[in-house]
Amino acid sequence: MSEPTLSLRDWRDGDDVTVADALGPAGSPQAALSRALLGPATQRPWRRTVVAEADGVVVGAAAVSESSLHPDRLWLYAEVRPASRRQGVGTALVGALTDEIPPSGTSGLRTRYPVTQDEDSEDFAAAPFAASIGLVPIQRSRLVVVSPDSLAVPPFGPTGPTLEDLATGSVELTKVVAAFYDAVHASWDRSEMTLGRAQDHLLAPATGARGAVVLRDRPKDAGGRILSFAVSYDPPATDTAEPLDAPTEVLLGYDADLDPARARGAVHNLLAMLVARYPVQVEVDDAMEPLAAVVTGLLNAGSATIGAETEIAATPA
């Protein structure tokens, strides 16, 4: 029996169903999120998708897209159905996409994949595949659940550090969040976060942001500055009810101008308040060194658990 003939084509109407059926259920929430990159060609942001077929049957798809936040590389996502893996389909898909040149001229690539040591997992081949197309690991990201009452709550006085609720639309908060984002990406994947983009991507109601609390060095009316911040998000919509003890998803950050020791103290104290009664989930990149240090201490003490771990690989700078 002859080998199936592989052909590549552009995305077309109806592929949202056809490709999803061919690939099967996403293996993780992160994979489901990444699949959203697949879709019809667009110009703003620029995106191209290629679908692979073997004798007319869809066996995989891949896409590249520009990012308004990270201008130096294109986002890449490729997935091949389990029965067709390790047959050169992914390599062919990426090869076709690298022939596409966006208006910006950007040619660098970045992708992300789950970290697993399970050789039987479908995700196990992601790292070797990324390496085979010339991508190298540049960052690790962890979703960490911090247990209730795992940190001693610090004392707060009328003239010392204070907690304050802020609207997510606050200009002051938006400036601190934007500066934090740019600072923690500066060394590995330069970003261009504006106030508008910070709102659109992290703080607007459409993102699920539902509230924010900040830690100041002293009361605001006494000139207090924001040392650290936490933005909470609504849980993702599912067909099942959210468990009562489900952790609250939180974006936790700090004033990027603080020295590392002070930033570490600021996120420690704010996190202590957040988990005084309930668990929270935070996403921690290794580049967020003050936050990563606090979280690593909690992991070592058994007061936190890793819910998911992903690696970002990219074309070398």
Side-chain angles (χ1 to χ4, degrees):
M1 182 179 295
S2 61
E3 290 292 325
T5 301
L6 185 70
S7 61
L8 304 179
R9 63 168 174 81
D10 293 335
W11 184 276
R12 62 192 183 204
D13 289 345
D15 275 341
D16 51 340
V17 175
T18 304
V19 172
D21 287 346
L23 297 178
S28 66
Q30 291 75 23
L33 186 63
S34 295
R35 279 188 184 179
L37 191 65
L38 302 173
T42 58
Q43 289 301 121
R44 291 179 178 268
W46 181 89
R47 174 178 66 182
R48 294 294 183 271
T49 303
V50 176
V51 176
E53 294 183 343
D55 289 346
V57 177
V58 172
V59 295
V64 287
S65 175
E66 287 187 316
S67 167
S68 61
L69 295 180
H70 300 275
D72 297 332
R73 299 181 177 103
L74 306 173
W75 275 113
L76 166 69
Y77 181 68
E79 186 173 356
V80 177
R81 69 175 187 174
S84 301
R85 291 172 183 166
R86 298 179 177 85
Q87 298 175 25
V89 178
T91 301
L93 286 165
V94 174
L97 288 172
T98 54
D99 290 336
E100 298 274 357
I101 305 298
S104 65
T106 302
S107 59
L109 300 173
R110 87 172 69 74
T111 192
R112 67 187 302 159
Y113 46 80
V115 174
T116 178
Q117 301 302 317
D118 181 3
E119 295 186 15
D120 295 326
S121 168
E122 295 178 0
D123 297 321
F124 188 75
F129 175 72
S132 74
I133 59 174
L135 307 186
V136 298
I138 59 172
Q139 190 64 223
R140 177 183 64 158
S141 180
R142 295 171 290 174
L143 288 178
V144 178
V145 176
V146 182
S147 303
D149 197 28
S150 55
L151 290 168
V153 177
F156 292 96
T159 60
T162 61
L163 289 174
E164 178 188 346
D165 291 325
L166 274 186
T168 56
S170 160
V171 174
E172 182 186 21
L173 174 66
T174 306
K175 288 180 178 178
V176 175
V177 170
F180 166 77
Y181 190 95
D182 279 344
V184 298
H185 286 87
S187 64
W188 59 280
D189 195 22
R190 180 178 68 92
S191 61
E192 294 180 343
M193 180 68 85
T194 64
L195 298 188
R197 289 170 180 167
Q199 278 291 317
D200 291 344
H201 291 273
L202 299 173
L203 298 171
T207 69
R210 65 182 181 192
V213 61
V214 299
L215 176 68
R216 297 184 186 273
D217 57 355
R218 57 185 182 275
K220 183 177 181 179
D221 57 11
R225 66 185 286 195
I226 295 176
L227 302 179
S228 56
F229 62 85
V231 180
S232 61
Y233 294 86
D234 290 323
T238 64
D239 295 332
T240 58
E242 186 77 5
L244 294 178
D245 59 349
T248 300
E249 181 184 343
V250 171
L251 169 65
L252 185 60
Y254 47 86
D255 180 344
D257 291 331
L258 294 176
D259 67 74
R262 196 176 184 198
R264 188 164 57 249
V267 294
H268 175 283
N269 290 343
L270 183 52
L271 183 58
M273 293 299 300
L274 296 176
V275 299
R277 295 181 60 189
Y278 303 104
V280 301
Q281 176 180 279
V282 295
E283 183 170 5
V284 187
D285 294 347
D286 285 350
M288 303 172 184
E289 294 180 0
L291 176 57
V294 173
V295 167
T296 298
L298 290 169
L299 289 168
N300 291 339
S303 299
T305 57
I306 297 176
E309 184 173 349
T310 60
E311 193 164 67
I312 298 176
T315 306

